[in-house]
Amino acid sequence: MSEPRHVVVADPDPRERARVQELLRVPAEELGLALEVHAASDGQVALALIEQRKPALVLSEVLLEGLSGLSILRRLRATLPPGKVPPFVFITTMARESDRYWGLRNGAHGYVMKPYEDDLLQSRIRDVLREVQPEKLGIL
């Protein structure tokens, strides 16, 4: 296994955070990655974790208390240089096509609508970890 890579999981529901953390294991094992997961229940905590940990991936609900997932992504894109914004995958109850469009239009690397199949989320995580930042993950 490689040196641990940080992942931030932001969701107000502790069961959802635990589920996503569990689902991360399969793609990480397949890619030979050690992941250290940091959980946040609101947007302010999520932003602080992202700034402190410089994660390889952020998995976030759009609807977060204090600061939405979309606001976090916009803020990071406005303040960080290109290539330094971690890839975002939104896992959200915001299920309209227009919501998905705005999430992707604002720079998300994926938009998974709740309820979702475990395989779908794992596939999206695997794709992002493999394709978006392979040099940062040491899997080139």
Side-chain angles (χ1 to χ4, degrees):
M1 283 276 185
S2 61
E3 183 176 316
R5 307 296 185 211
H6 299 281
V7 175
V8 172
V9 176
D11 197 290
D13 182 347
R15 293 171 303 193
E16 183 65 19
R17 291 191 307 269
R19 178 180 181 201
V20 171
Q21 184 170 349
E22 181 64 26
L23 291 174
L24 277 163
R25 287 185 334 155
V26 171
E29 288 173 4
E30 289 175 358
L31 296 171
L33 298 172
L35 299 178
E36 187 173 320
V37 180
H38 308 278
S41 61
D42 67 61
Q44 295 294 348
V45 172
L47 181 61
L49 285 170
I50 293 165
E51 290 172 341
Q52 292 167 1
R53 301 296 182 176
K54 313 277 188 279
L57 177 62
V58 176
L59 302 165
S60 178
E61 168 63 75
V62 172
L63 300 172
L64 295 171
E65 182 92 18
L67 194 61
S68 75
L70 193 54
S71 295
I72 293 169
L73 179 54
R74 284 181 181 154
R75 183 179 294 187
L76 293 172
R77 290 189 63 183
T79 59
L80 295 176
K84 296 295 182 182
V85 177
F88 264 70
V89 175
F90 287 116
I91 307 167
T92 183
T93 55
M94 301 287 292
R96 296 181 315 206
E97 278 303 309
S98 59
D99 297 324
R100 182 177 182 273
Y101 169 79
W102 281 110
L104 296 172
R105 177 86 165 98
N106 280 281
H109 292 87
Y111 197 97
V112 177
M113 293 179 257
K114 295 175 185 175
Y116 56 85
E117 294 292 324
D118 293 353
D119 290 346
L120 172 69
L121 181 58
Q122 288 173 323
S123 176
R124 191 68 212 126
I125 291 168
R126 185 181 307 105
D127 290 347
V128 171
L129 289 174
R130 186 184 296 134
E131 297 171 16
V132 176
Q133 293 185 329
E135 69 283 353
K136 288 186 178 181
L137 294 171
I139 56 176
L140 275 181

